[in-house]
Amino acid sequence: MLKKNTITLKDNSTGKEIELPILRPSEGTPTIDVRSLYRELGYFTYDPGFLSTASCRSSITFMDGENGILRYRGYSIEELAAKSTFLETCYLLMYGDLPNQDELKEFDVIITHHTILHEAFKRFYSGFRRDAHPMAIMVGVVGALSAFYQEENDVHDPNCRLISAHRLISKMPTIAAWSYRYAHGLPFMYPKNSLDYSSNFLYMMFATPAEDYTPDPVMVKALDLLLILHADHEQNASTSTVRLTGSSEANPFAAVAAGIASLWGPAHGGANEAVIRMLMDIIESGKDVQHYIDRAKDKTDRFRLMGFGHRVYKNYDPRARIIRKVCHDLLKNLGANNEYQQLFDLSVQLEEIALKDEYFISRNLYPNVDFYSGVILLAMGIPLNMFTVIFALARTVGWITHWDEMMQDPESRIGRPRQLYSGELTRKYVKLEKR
Ligand code: SDX
């Protein structure tokens, strides 16, 4: 009778065999539990980039890369994008279920009433040059939050973890909007409790003390949708960074600041900004699209088709499909001669050519979440260097929910990977005069 839930590993150099447990997921790829491997067989596993390695057990988000499926707590991203709001999605991710009306109202009141920053935060901004990248400001200011909440920073106390989560979700729009205002020499706008989450952010970004300002409801809806689509994505680089940082029992503000730093990279959350810069370069160069497709395929050229490819999705990123439709409708709403249409049309052309090209097809390279999102953000009046800030604003709920799940996980321990050492063998020290 075959044992169904183990895998036999035989070391052919010694003939020794061990049985490793197979851990079955509720859905998706089963995993081999290798925790006893070193003790029983004296080996590490080698997996740079963690292509085949599960770092944890999680019930927050499910992704099926082969079929382009994304679900938050079991709800499809398509349904949440069509029917939910970002605040409701935050509740779903944090608490595991959709809220009823009273729960959502209570959550809304909590989040709305934590949006104000300590006045001393204003001085942090004035320490930066005006041309500082807003992500540099975000890393600094979010990390500094830990200096203002020292009394509630017991990471093993669920109440401290909850208030920190509320504070981060509430304050990120204020911190983000102020980084924009500072860069443009504009007065900081305080949040208004009468506005919903996304309206409040656009208000703090674009309002002026000199007159009343009401955010465009079309833009508010588009932003709220983008925030839903960016809220979580399983164990991506920045979420894994938050988990690894938090595994040392560092405070959640420091862990999220580390996540912001990781997200900033153009291979990750910085790709939305890099896509628009790529499109603008293509337009400015006057060269045809095929020239850039050929560059993306040329191994001697560092150029990549930004917004294309994904570690997990080997099919169309479901978020990109939704964003492309929203982008198309938004630009239609702006009228035919809007200044962003050329960027969108170029994106569609790039996609069409790439998806017929053997290089992209054979490597399962499709548009990802970043390929079309930048055009929407530009149409909202959001400047290029704020794109990844918006991504960080949305992903904060995912980061803090994974951090909280890790802090409750009895199997969780400090993250400390091993290595395949390739350095020198023992050497004797030689005196300077003898070298
Ligand atoms: C995000 O992990 C997440 O979930 C991230 C994210 C989230 O919500 O948190 O989804 C957000 O980060 C989306 C990805 C944004 N990044 C980009 O758009 C940058 C461009 N894409 C790539 O750099 C790349 O596709 C990655 C980083 C996204 C994925 O890299 P992998 O999984 O390590 O794949 P790889 O680099 O090993 O590529 C496999 C092959 C290679 O060619 P070969 O060695 O097989 O010949 O595909 C090629 C790569 O050269 N390739 C590309 C390419 N992406 C991969 N070639 C040209 N253009 C590209 N964009």
Side-chain angles (χ1 to χ4, degrees), residues 8-28:
T8 303
L9 194 59
K10 180 178 179 183
D11 180 350
N12 292 322
S13 60
T14 61
K16 188 176 178 190
E17 283 190 3
I18 62 169
E19 300 274 308
L20 293 172
I22 295 174
L23 305 177
R24 302 278 175 200
S26 47
E27 187 171 6

Side-chain angles (χ1 to χ4, degrees), residues 51 63 229-230 232-239 263 266-269 271-272 275 296-297 299 303-314 317 319 359-360 363 365 368-370 391 395:
L51 283 89
M63 291 170 66
L229 296 174
H230 287 79
D232 192 52
H233 216 231
E234 201 218 64
Q235 306 307 325
N236 57 86
S238 53
T239 300
L263 185 76
H268 188 13
N272 50 18
V275 166
K297 293 156 56 176
K299 290 302 169 197
F303 176 81
R304 283 198 158 185
L305 202 52
M306 299 314 280
F308 248 76
H310 198 278
R311 170 63 56 77
V312 176
Y313 290 125
K314 300 311 168 191
D317 183 331
R319 302 167 298 173
Y359 174 93
F360 292 88
R363 292 168 177 80
L365 301 176
N368 59 48
V369 67
D370 296 304
F391 195 149
R395 188 54 58 86

Side-chain angles (χ1 to χ4, degrees), residues 105-383:
K105 180 92 189 90
E106 184 191 356
F107 187 63
D108 191 337
V109 168
I110 292 170
I111 297 300
T112 302
H113 290 81
H114 280 91
T115 50
I116 295 272
L117 290 171
H118 189 293
E119 274 298 291
F121 267 91
K122 286 185 171 179
R123 290 198 292 278
F124 283 122
Y125 288 85
S126 56
F128 289 97
R129 287 179 10 182
R130 290 285 178 186
D131 62 351
H133 195 292
M135 284 298 277
I137 298 176
M138 293 291 283
V139 172
V141 173
V142 171
L145 281 170
S146 48
F148 289 77
Y149 300 112
Q150 302 178 82
E151 55 289 348
E152 289 131 325
N153 65 358
D154 175 359
V155 296
H156 298 291
D157 176 343
N159 296 320
C160 289
R161 293 204 301 267
L162 186 61
I163 180 67
S164 298
H166 289 154
R167 281 172 170 151
L168 277 159
I169 293 168
S170 302
K171 296 180 192 308
M172 284 299 261
T174 312
I175 293 170
W178 284 15
S179 63
Y180 167 78
R181 302 291 287 194
Y182 176 74
H184 292 78
L186 297 168
F188 291 148
M189 295 305 291
Y190 286 87
K192 283 177 81 170
N193 290 354
S194 58
L195 296 175
D196 65 63
Y197 193 90
S198 292
S199 299
N200 220 347
F201 174 67
L202 292 179
Y203 172 81
M204 290 188 280
M205 281 284 290
F206 300 123
T208 161
E211 56 192 34
D212 291 340
Y213 173 85
T214 307
D216 176 345
V218 172
M219 297 304 175
V220 170
K221 187 161 172 36
L223 174 66
D224 207 65
L225 174 66
L226 283 181
L227 297 182
I228 291 173
L229 296 174
H230 287 79
D232 192 52
H233 216 231
E234 201 218 64
Q235 306 307 325
N236 57 86
S238 53
T239 300
S240 298
T241 301
V242 171
R243 279 179 171 263
L244 190 59
T245 307
S247 73
S248 70
E249 302 180 20
N251 71 74
F253 305 106
V256 168
I260 293 170
S262 169
L263 185 76
W264 193 0
H268 188 13
N272 50 18
E273 178 180 342
V275 166
I276 297 296
R277 293 191 191 285
M278 172 186 74
L279 296 174
M280 289 174 169
D281 287 350
I282 294 174
I283 291 168
E284 201 179 310
S285 73
K287 292 193 170 75
D288 65 23
V289 166
Q290 190 58 49
H291 169 78
Y292 286 88
I293 296 282
D294 294 341
R295 280 191 61 192
K297 293 156 56 176
D298 178 356
K299 290 302 169 197
T300 62
D301 188 332
R302 281 185 58 78
F303 176 81
R304 283 198 158 185
L305 202 52
M306 299 314 280
F308 248 76
H310 198 278
R311 170 63 56 77
V312 176
Y313 290 125
K314 300 311 168 191
N315 202 320
Y316 213 104
D317 183 331
R319 302 167 298 173
R321 199 187 304 283
I322 296 167
I323 293 175
R324 174 177 160 161
K325 171 92 176 55
V326 169
C327 194
H328 173 267
D329 296 349
L330 193 78
L331 295 181
K332 208 165 142 197
N333 185 287
L334 290 179
N337 56 356
N338 72 76
E339 57 188 297
Y340 315 106
Q341 196 63 44
Q342 187 182 14
L343 293 170
F344 179 72
D345 294 344
L346 177 56
S347 305
V348 171
Q349 196 188 359
L350 272 170
E351 175 187 339
E352 281 168 0
I353 295 175
L355 295 190
K356 291 185 187 120
D357 187 300
E358 183 46 35
Y359 174 93
F360 292 88
I361 296 169
S362 61
R363 292 168 177 80
N364 299 306
L365 301 176
Y366 291 86
N368 59 48
V369 67
D370 296 304
F371 193 60
Y372 288 104
S373 54
V375 180
I376 297 180
L377 293 171
L378 278 181
M380 270 180 217
I382 308 266

